[in-house]
Each structure stands twice: as C-alpha cells, then as structure tokens.
Amino acid sequence: MKSIEKVYDEITSSKPGLQQFKEKLKNVEFFLSIENIKPESHKKVSQTLLKMGYTEIAIRHFSSGADFFLVALACQESYTIVTHEAKSGGNARNRIKIPNVCEKLNIDCIDIAEFLRRERAKFVLE
C-alpha cells in the first residue's frame, strides 16, 4: 500500500494522534513523490477529463489536488485506488469524483469495505 506526497500535504488535523500517524507513514516511505509520474500519464488523465465533459473549473480544481496525481499514478502503474468517494451520476459535470475517472480509464477503484474484504481483514476484540 502506498499513497502520494500530495495526499500527505492535504491531510490536516488538530488531533495529535492523527498527526503522529501521518508522520509515522511518512517515515516508512508510504508517500511516493509525484515526480515519479510520467508526463504521458498526466496527459492521458487530462485528455480523459476533457472527453468526459467536465467544466473547466471542475477540471482545474481536480487537476490541482492530490486526486489527479493519484489517478495518474494508478493509471501508469496499474494500481488499485481505495477511496471513500462514491461514483457520481452521469450528468454531474461540476465535481469530478475519482471512481468516475477510474472507470473511464479502466483503473480498479474500490471502497474501503471492499479493500478490507480483499485483504481479509479481521477485527479482534480482546
């Protein structure tokens, strides 16, 4: 499991426990540099967003945040994206959701419950 540095930058919390968890993940190299994403991957995602008919403002907003880079890296490396976002309806053009873009790019995109099922997570109460 990995993420990207832009996600690290977007995680903010006033809760000390979450801040410590975030720092611990950074120290084990959980967050990858976006410099590893090839220009072709950026271009493929950008072109896909245009073809999907999103507004210019929505594309600009999505492209400036971590989501764009997550999708580009997943596209490039055939990674699966785990997200809490739900797919939006077909006529939603003002807000880009990761599952919609992943579907168009044939990127495996699952929610947290599916991730836990695939990993066969077990919760044990002691």
Side-chain angles (χ1 to χ4, degrees):
M1 248 183 12
K2 296 287 181 186
S3 192
I4 59 171
E5 289 173 345
K6 275 205 160 277
V7 170
Y8 176 87
D9 295 340
E10 286 186 6
I11 297 172
T12 57
S13 176
S14 59
K15 298 178 182 175
L18 184 57
Q19 197 63 30
Q20 291 167 354
F21 178 69
K22 178 177 126 173
E23 291 300 323
K24 185 182 279 188
L25 288 175
K26 184 176 183 179
N27 291 334
V28 296
E29 298 178 6
F30 178 82
F31 297 99
L32 303 172
S33 170
I34 62 170
E35 292 174 7
N36 297 326
I37 304 170
K38 297 176 184 170
E40 301 85 40
S41 300
H42 289 269
K43 184 176 179 181
K44 186 173 184 177
V45 174
S46 295
Q47 289 174 339
T48 299
L49 294 174
L50 290 171
K51 289 177 188 173
M52 291 177 76
Y54 288 108
T55 64
E56 184 180 324
I57 293 169
I59 292 172
R60 197 173 331 123
H61 183 262
F62 186 81
S63 299
S64 67
D67 293 356
F68 177 88
F69 295 94
L70 281 172
V71 171
L73 184 64
C75 182
Q76 175 180 302
E77 303 295 337
S78 299
Y79 288 157
T80 297
I81 292 183
V82 180
T83 182
H84 69 282
E85 285 187 352
K87 191 175 161 191
S88 63
N91 61 354
R93 298 288 171 231
N94 294 322
R95 181 124 198 276
I96 301 172
K97 298 284 191 157
I98 292 172
N100 294 77
V101 181
C102 287
E103 179 180 62
K104 199 69 163 175
L105 289 165
N106 295 314
I107 297 169
D108 192 22
C109 182
I110 60 176
D111 63 17
I112 294 167
E114 177 61 21
F115 169 73
L116 294 173
R117 275 192 289 280
R118 287 186 187 184
E119 294 298 313
R120 297 182 177 163
K122 294 181 182 180
F123 296 97
V124 179
L125 293 175
E126 291 185 22

